Amino acid sequence: MLRIAVQSKGRLYDETMLLLEEAGIKLNKGKRVLLLSAKGFPVEVLFLRDDDIPQSVANGVADVGIVGENEYVEKGGQAELIKRLGFSKCRLSLAIPKDEEYNGVEWFEGKTIATSYPGILEAFLKQNKVKAELHVISGSVEIAPGIGLANAIFDIVSSGSTLVSNRLKEVEVVMNSEALLIANKKLTEEKKEVLNELLFRFAAIQEAEGKKYVLLNAPRENLNEIIRVLPGMKSPTVTPLADSEWVSIQSVIAEKHFWEIIGKLKSLGAEGILVLPIEKMIL
């Protein structure tokens, strides 16, 4: 049985649970809300505070964990980084009052900075040879300048709306963060097998992200030009139609290039274009 530690609430919780569901991991409901087993797959999910996950995985309370990179780095990265998951992206930034003039990191010299991430901030200040006083607090860091507790803050930024509502402005991005899959460094072979299956499922989900499955009919005489426009994983699938002058073509395209490619296909005589979402992609 592989035990997975996940955040107990928040945006990372929501996106993690969606990933597990898409990977076919359905949890049994029970009275023990902190630890739930899965149906038909040898895993159980342990719900923890986000800042407890790295150490819980490192010391073996959980076998693997899904955690924000910010917490993983702050806690020293003692667990093994297995995979970047690509969701819950944010950044750790320094922010100062909106009306302050900012000319560089030297602004923070002698200032007080409120943060929940003293380790990452200390390393950044040391690298830039800046001496500042850190005021470590958990939660509601953004209010610190407004109540006179600090001159600036160092905290997670996603959209930036929280900064704006507290009359702050982002001036330095110290690190970017996303969800990580981490693991205990001493997993048994049995648990490694379960982890590998889990990684296979995650990869199939991630591979399908941002891609569309396209089917279309096109004139055979334009086939070579269409193939150059419409590459697939290796090459498009081409099937003859009852009308020998026409073929059916199937392929996968990236959504970010979708309209550009569709326009080129139409100019080459493509008709009956059908676009389908992709849930999983096994390479």
Side-chain angles (χ1 to χ4, degrees):
M1 181 75 72
L2 188 75
R3 178 175 291 178
I4 308 172
V6 306
Q7 186 173 316
S8 57
K9 60 182 178 179
R11 184 165 66 99
L12 181 55
Y13 164 84
D14 293 335
E15 294 181 303
T16 297
M17 298 312 292
L18 179 60
L19 174 65
L20 294 177
E21 183 178 345
E22 290 181 342
I25 298 172
K26 303 185 186 302
L27 300 180
N28 293 303
K29 303 299 181 181
K31 294 180 180 180
R32 296 183 64 190
V33 294
L34 296 181
L35 183 65
L36 296 176
S37 60
K39 301 175 184 177
F41 194 71
V43 301
E44 57 184 5
V45 176
L46 176 65
F47 297 98
L48 298 173
R49 283 168 46 99
D50 56 349
D51 54 352
D52 288 334
I53 293 175
Q55 191 59 40
S56 296
V57 174
N59 63 25
V61 172
D63 301 308
V64 300
I66 296 177
V67 66
E69 187 172 0
N70 52 308
E71 293 294 348
Y72 176 70
V73 174
E74 177 65 26
K75 301 304 179 184
Q78 296 177 349
E80 182 180 359
L81 172 56
I82 301 297
K83 185 178 180 64
R84 293 181 172 275
L85 297 174
F87 59 81
S88 290
K89 292 186 177 182
C90 60
R91 55 195 181 274
L92 279 175
S93 297
L94 283 156
I96 65 175
K98 180 181 177 181
D99 298 330
E100 288 281 345
E101 183 178 348
Y102 184 77
N103 297 313
V105 291
E106 58 272 12
W107 185 93
F108 295 98
E109 183 70 34
K111 300 290 200 303
T112 300
I113 308 172
T115 185
S116 300
Y117 301 95
I120 296 172
L121 180 55
E122 283 176 0
F124 174 79
L125 295 174
K126 183 177 181 181
Q127 181 182 0
N128 287 276
K129 300 178 180 178
V130 172
K131 292 184 179 179
E133 180 182 346
L134 306 191
H135 189 85
V136 182
I137 56 179
S138 59
S140 302
V141 173
E142 65 278 355
I143 70 171
I147 62 175
L149 194 61
N151 305 108
I153 69 167
F154 177 62
D155 201 20
I156 291 175
V157 178
S158 295
S159 66
S161 60
T162 302
L163 296 182
V164 172
S165 63
N166 285 276
R167 297 185 57 79
L168 299 172
K169 61 182 179 182
E170 185 178 8
V171 293
E172 295 284 342
V173 177
V174 174
M175 71 169 283
N176 291 301
S177 176
E178 64 180 288
L180 305 177
L181 179 66
I182 60 175
N184 182 273
K185 294 180 179 179
K186 297 180 180 179
L187 292 182
T188 64
E189 289 303 316
E190 181 182 359
K191 290 182 177 182
K192 285 180 181 179
E193 287 183 12
V194 180
L195 175 58
N196 287 336
E197 174 62 26
L198 195 63
L199 287 169
F200 170 76
R201 296 187 183 194
F202 286 175
I205 295 165
Q206 288 184 310
E207 195 62 39
E209 291 175 356
K211 294 184 175 68
K212 298 292 185 182
Y213 190 72
V214 178
L215 300 91
L216 57 97
N217 295 334
R220 184 181 291 276
E221 62 182 6
N222 293 338
L223 179 59
N224 290 335
E225 291 179 77
I226 288 175
I227 287 176
R228 283 194 289 269
V229 170
L230 190 62
M233 291 175 283
K234 292 185 178 178
S235 67
T237 300
V238 179
T239 306
L241 295 178
D243 185 339
S244 61
E245 294 184 359
W246 284 76
V247 293
S248 174
I249 303 172
Q250 304 169 43
S251 188
V252 174
I253 63 175
E255 191 167 12
K256 62 182 178 180
H257 302 305
F258 177 77
W259 291 111
E260 174 190 353
I261 292 175
I262 292 299
K264 291 179 180 178
L265 292 173
K266 289 184 68 178
S267 70
L268 290 169
E271 297 180 357
I273 302 173
L274 181 63
V275 182
L276 302 172
I278 301 174
E279 288 189 4
K280 313 286 189 302
M281 185 179 293
I282 314 298
L283 298 180

